[in-house]
Amino acid sequence: MKFKTIEWRGDRVRILDQRRLPQKVRYVDCQNASSVAKAIRTMAIRGAPAIGVAAAMGIALAAIKDQSKNSLNFIQSTEKVCREMRQTRPTAVNLFWAVDRMQRILDQVHTQGVEKTKAKLVKEALRIYKEDVEVNRKIGAYGKRLIKNGDGVLTHCNAGALATAGYGTALGVIYAAWAEGKKFHVFSDETRPQLQGARLTAWELFQEKIPVTVITDNMAGWLMKEGKINLVLVGADRIARNGDTANKIGTYSLAVLSKYHGIPFYVVAPTSTLDLTLTSGRDIPIEERDIKEVTHFRGCPVTPKGVKAYNPAFDVTPHALIHAIITEKGLIRKPFEKELKKLIEDR
Ligand code: MRU
């Protein structure tokens, strides 16, 4: 990859500002945890694994800059930062998973002392970062065989290097297949309202010289009908115990369309996206964002002033519509509940 989505710089966290892509490649230098939290909330950085990494780095940053004189104050202020991170975005479980890992290190302060704990928190944040790239490479290696020469691959939103510490999940599969010399074509849904597909997925693939065609979200069904799509690869923000999967709004429609047209629909995600505490997708919290994202297009109103709008940022695809889940541990097939449990037991 020719860019870094997020980078630990010792005294700050550098984030590639995804709000400005593809027009401008600009970085936000976060000097403290609150500016990292703001970057997550305002989607300067987005994508389930990437916001987990950002939250962890934000906590590490707060810790090393903490001036507390004793361990109790240090714990209190670092826990406050953990809470702040947890409140940034509700749907992607990777964020909570990463904060939990940081919290477990913080809990060791009583035995380790403040200075050692600070160093360990930095180490853990960097480990979360590094592991994510490795996990994505493994996912790519398992998933690449699903793509055949001449295929049309449809993807939604951005589940690429920009959405992770690097390489990507759904796009990781595409990168791995391409690196093997396979020739195929990617169709990227533009992904209203934030246009992650048009702005980010197309930007990433274009740089890697992978053939990509952007379509508006409402074109997917017709492309399937015309035989242009052979498989669908999407990322995930949270996967419940039974395999129900929350991902970017519009994913559910694609899954329904895929079922009708007999096209395999794959969810691609690391095991950090699993939430086995939830029995089904009904319990996944769905983020609702400002309706201005719907009523306006890049600052210009596109609806009558004052009209009602609705803006859920994610939807849940029922497990019955999912062909398989591609993880760093391999392909998970049905029955998902049993297979996912097995997977976690040897995690
Ligand atoms: O609102 P976003 O842009 O954070 O939503 C991102 C998605 O829905 C991705 O598909 C998902 O996080 C998987 S990223 C590997």
Side-chain angles (χ1 to χ4, degrees):
M1 295 298 139
K2 298 177 183 75
F3 58 88
K4 282 208 167 86
T5 303
I6 183 165
E7 216 183 329
W8 174 258
R9 290 243 161 166
D11 60 345
R12 67 213 134 101
V13 177
R14 176 164 281 189
I15 284 170
L16 173 58
D17 190 347
Q18 300 190 29
R19 297 165 300 190
R20 307 189 72 177
L21 289 173
Q23 285 87 1
K24 289 204 160 71
V25 179
R26 293 279 184 277
Y27 294 86
V28 183
D29 271 328
C30 301
Q31 311 280 353
N32 54 47
S34 288
S35 53
V36 175
K38 189 171 170 211
I40 298 173
R41 231 180 5 255
T42 59
M43 296 178 68
I45 187 160
R46 32 65 51 204
I51 62 176
V53 173
M57 287 189 180
I59 294 164
L61 191 64
I64 57 163
K65 295 198 172 181
D66 194 281
Q67 304 284 326
S68 299
K69 297 273 176 284
N70 60 53
S71 50
L72 197 65
N73 289 352
F74 176 69
I75 293 171
Q76 279 173 352
S77 52
T78 313
E79 279 185 341
K80 192 163 165 248
V81 174
C82 291
R83 282 197 297 278
E84 186 182 1
M85 292 301 167
R86 286 179 195 280
Q87 277 156 13
T88 50
R89 295 192 72 190
T91 304
V93 77
N94 309 62
L95 177 99
F96 303 92
W97 168 88
V99 176
D100 285 347
R101 276 182 65 164
M102 298 300 280
Q103 180 77 54
R104 281 198 290 275
I105 301 293
L106 182 62
D107 292 344
Q108 297 171 11
V109 74
H110 303 291
T111 52
Q112 305 283 319
V114 172
E115 288 315 309
K116 214 164 170 192
T117 306
K118 285 183 181 180
K120 282 193 151 192
L121 285 167
V122 173
K123 212 166 157 194
E124 186 70 353
L126 295 178
R127 193 177 288 148
I128 291 171
Y129 173 90
K130 194 165 160 265
E131 279 174 14
D132 189 51
V133 184
E134 290 163 3
V135 155
N136 292 334
R137 294 249 172 211
K138 284 188 191 154
I139 292 175
Y142 280 118
K144 66 185 179 189
R145 67 182 173 81
L146 300 170
I147 301 179
K148 311 228 164 9
N149 272 318
D151 272 355
V153 183
L154 179 62
T155 190
H156 189 68
C157 191
N158 172 266
L162 289 166
T164 60
Y167 204 63
T169 57
L171 294 197
V173 171
I174 287 168
Y175 291 136
W178 191 256
E180 214 163 62
K182 288 185 184 171
K183 296 288 170 249
F184 54 90
H185 197 95
V186 181
F187 292 91
S188 175
D189 275 351
E190 68 171 349
T191 319
R192 273 280 283 156
Q194 291 240 359
L195 305 181
Q196 289 94 329
R199 296 189 301 107
L200 310 177
T201 295
W203 185 74
E204 276 194 31
L205 295 176
F206 209 57
Q207 288 189 69
E208 297 299 315
K209 301 194 170 42
I210 298 177
V212 56
T213 299
V214 176
I215 58 168
T216 61
D217 300 335
N218 51 357
M219 294 174 186
W222 183 243
L223 264 75
M224 289 180 181
K225 174 94 169 78
E226 286 198 312
K228 290 194 164 74
I229 309 295
N230 302 90
L231 71 155
V232 179
L233 295 172
V234 296
D237 287 83
R238 197 185 290 234
I239 303 172
R241 196 153 72 204
N242 65 350
D244 291 354
T245 296
N247 191 49
K248 179 54 54 196
I249 191 76
T251 303
Y252 169 60
S253 318
L254 279 190
V256 173
L257 285 168
S258 301
K259 184 86 177 172
Y260 181 78
H261 291 95
I263 294 167
F265 179 92
Y266 296 101
V267 166
V268 191
T271 52
S272 55
T273 308
L274 299 177
D275 184 352
L276 302 191
T277 67
L278 303 183
T279 43
S280 78
R282 251 195 335 266
D283 306 320
I284 299 178
I286 299 295
E287 177 182 8
E288 260 187 61
R289 295 187 65 86
D290 193 333
I291 60 162
K292 263 201 164 154
E293 292 179 0
V294 176
T295 59
H296 289 62
F297 188 80
R298 308 242 106 178
C300 280
V302 290
T303 57
K305 199 165 180 232
V307 79
K308 281 198 186 109
Y310 179 43
N311 189 17
F314 300 94
D315 57 28
V316 177
T317 298
H319 59 94
L321 299 179
I322 299 168
H323 212 75
I325 303 171
I326 310 168
T327 75
E328 76 275 20
K329 306 252 173 159
L331 244 73
I332 310 304
R333 297 192 186 272
K334 290 169 191 162
F336 290 131
E337 180 132 16
K338 188 167 145 234
E339 294 304 315
L340 290 174
K341 192 164 170 271
K342 228 166 53 198
L343 191 86
I344 292 296
E345 276 164 5
D346 33 74
R347 177 156 77 174

